Amino acid sequence: MFMRTVPAYSEQALVMLDVVNHFGWTRVSVLATNDVNGRNFLSNLWPAIQRRNIKVEPYYPFEPGNSFLIRFHLQNLAKSATRVALIYGSKEDCLTVAMEAQRANLSSSFVWIFNDLVISEMSSVSTALNYIPQGAIIPRLKHLDDTEAHLMDAIRAVKYSYQSMIKKTQTAKLASERASATPGDASGTMSFDRSTSRSALSQNDLLNLKLATFGDPAPTPKECGGEGAHWADGQKYLKELKMFKQNPAETGDLAFNTESGDRLNSEYEILNLRTSSPYLVPVATWTSATGLVPNPDEKVIWPGGSTVKPQGVVVSKHLKIVTAVTEPFVNKMRAFPNRKCDNILKNQADVPRDAHAVPCSLPPFGGQK
């Protein structure tokens, strides 16, 4: 069990889906690494997709660093009907997806939504412009690079959780001693009966007791394994850490998930990648409480430089009609160069009975081309 002042990277699945939901898209493709982080991302993604009535068509897993498989998946992605792609992976894998998409001329054909690792640890954002498609959407955790602020929050959580554990231990022991005291006790303890013990003990008395009153807590273990690794007060301290809250803290409202230990109340900026400075423009914010809130002062620049929201799907214009040969109702005839269906039908006598099927070029219903 561990605690951290940043949320799990997999939480970005919820942010990405809220972006998709906000723009009214109902189909997405997902490319994610087939590792622990990728599977955690998907474990958050699948339940949220079902709640939002979004379909994944299709899902492409790939091994970290496998550029060949990424290239193969992008070839299949180009044939799919969806035009919204969610990308999750390390910085290197995300950049590989961006580079391969660029080589396949897919950069301006899709809405690309990357996790924030794609812009982490870069010397400058201009470096990313060589690979990441213009108009890409990137959720980025607020205060992500403010190490000092996260360190201050962590120290406060450790300090005040420990103090809270000590105070509660002191309160319980002192109340127990006074409640069990009897008149004339030889120990010299103040005499009072059980009915008055709690009222006679003020809250300030309890909170101001020194640690020396009841001795030091159990010593912490000196090693991570073996018989000496157990800390008698460890579970008490962990419980206090889970319950720690500070509003606001250095990095926003701070609280923890009591099961996973991950941070709650995280805040994200939804960044839109541009080709000119400022390269990363916040077009919305996201919190678990409010969801996605658009920035009214900024419009999203989509791939290709358009400000018109993409449909998110492509409608195929290639129609194939297949019919079974059932003579005399359906016949097959040989196709001739520069001949259309109406001409062939007028000259059926010239066509052999065992000819191949004819590809017809007929206008759609209503005579429109």
Side-chain angles (χ1 to χ4, degrees):
M1 178 67 186
F2 66 95
M3 313 288 290
R4 53 186 174 184
T5 59
V6 294
Y9 281 121
S10 58
E11 185 185 62
Q12 294 188 38
L14 306 180
V15 186
M16 291 180 175
L17 287 180
D18 274 359
V19 172
V20 172
N21 195 63
H22 173 77
F23 289 107
W25 299 316
T26 57
R27 297 182 182 181
V28 298
S29 294
V30 178
L31 285 83
T33 49
N34 188 21
D35 58 7
V36 174
N37 290 331
R39 288 189 287 272
N40 288 339
F41 173 81
L42 293 174
S43 68
N44 275 356
L45 186 74
W46 298 132
I49 277 179
Q50 295 175 357
R51 293 194 300 268
R52 290 166 173 79
N53 196 27
I54 298 174
K55 296 181 180 179
V56 174
E57 300 177 349
Y59 158 57
Y60 299 109
F62 61 90
E63 300 300 323
N66 192 335
S67 58
F68 174 80
L69 189 55
I70 290 175
R71 190 179 309 121
F72 176 76
H73 284 332
L74 288 176
Q75 292 173 357
N76 291 325
L77 179 64
K79 302 174 185 177
S80 67
T82 180
R83 285 297 181 266
V84 180
L86 309 185
I87 315 298
Y88 184 86
S90 66
K91 177 189 68 175
E92 292 77 15
D93 288 325
C94 287
L95 288 178
T96 300
V97 171
M99 287 187 289
E100 294 298 337
Q102 188 180 80
R103 291 173 182 172
N105 295 322
L106 298 178
S107 297
S108 60
S109 304
F110 284 78
V111 175
W112 301 95
I113 305 178
F114 289 90
N115 63 300
D116 64 2
L117 287 177
V118 73
I119 54 173
S120 66
E121 301 177 9
M122 288 187 174
S123 57
S124 65
V125 178
S126 58
T127 305
L129 293 175
N130 296 326
Y131 309 107
I132 305 176
Q134 177 193 17
I137 302 295
I138 306 171
R140 183 177 65 180
L141 184 68
K142 283 188 176 181
H143 313 290
L144 178 63
D145 300 324
D146 195 343
T147 305
E148 182 178 351
H150 282 285
L151 185 59
M152 291 298 297
D153 283 348
I155 292 174
R156 287 194 182 98
V158 169
K159 174 184 176 181
Y160 292 120
S161 296
Y162 188 80
Q163 289 180 343
S164 177
M165 179 187 72
I166 296 301
K167 289 177 181 178
K168 289 181 179 179
T169 301
Q170 293 171 344
T171 300
K173 288 183 177 181
L174 183 57
S176 177
E177 280 199 3
R178 292 193 174 184
S180 60
T182 58
D185 190 349
S187 64
T189 305
M190 180 180 64
S191 299
F192 59 96
D193 59 32
R194 187 180 299 272
S195 62
T196 61
S197 62
R198 300 182 188 279
S199 59
L201 187 62
S202 70
Q203 187 66 19
N204 288 334
D205 290 337
L206 296 176
L207 296 180
N208 293 328
L209 286 173
K210 295 182 179 179
L211 181 61
T213 304
F214 296 104
D216 294 331
T220 57
K222 297 181 180 180
E223 56 185 8
C224 295
E227 295 181 359
H230 178 71
W231 183 26
D233 291 325
Q235 291 300 319
K236 295 180 182 178
Y237 184 46
L238 179 60
K239 182 178 179 180
E240 293 298 328
L241 277 172
K242 290 179 178 180
M243 295 189 299
F244 176 81
K245 294 181 180 180
Q246 185 174 1
N247 302 323
E250 296 290 331
T251 57
D253 294 347
L254 182 61
F256 298 99
N257 185 311
T258 57
E259 295 183 0
S260 66
D262 290 325
R263 180 183 181 144
L264 300 175
N265 307 324
S266 49
E267 302 177 29
Y268 289 84
E269 291 180 312
I270 311 302
L271 303 177
N272 185 213
L273 186 64
R274 309 286 176 86
T275 57
S276 58
S277 181
Y279 300 111
L280 292 172
V281 178
V283 294
T285 58
W286 185 95
T287 67
S288 55
T290 64
L292 190 140
V293 179
N295 181 354
D297 298 327
E298 293 290 346
K299 290 185 178 181
V300 178
I301 304 298
W302 299 106
S306 173
T307 57
V308 179
K309 185 199 75 173
Q311 291 184 346
V313 293
V314 60
V315 179
S316 176
K317 299 179 181 178
H318 302 283
L319 180 63
K320 291 183 179 180
I321 300 177
V322 179
T323 58
V325 176
T326 308
E327 297 182 353
F329 305 104
V330 180
N331 299 315
K332 61 179 180 179
M333 298 172 287
R334 188 184 303 280
F336 295 96
N338 301 322
R339 297 286 297 275
K340 293 186 177 181
C341 299
D342 53 350
N343 294 330
I344 294 176
L345 295 175
K346 293 177 182 178
N347 299 280
Q348 293 188 35
D350 300 332
V351 180
R353 302 284 297 178
D354 59 346
H356 298 289
V358 179
C360 294
S361 176
L362 295 176
F365 292 109
Q368 298 178 355
K369 294 184 179 180

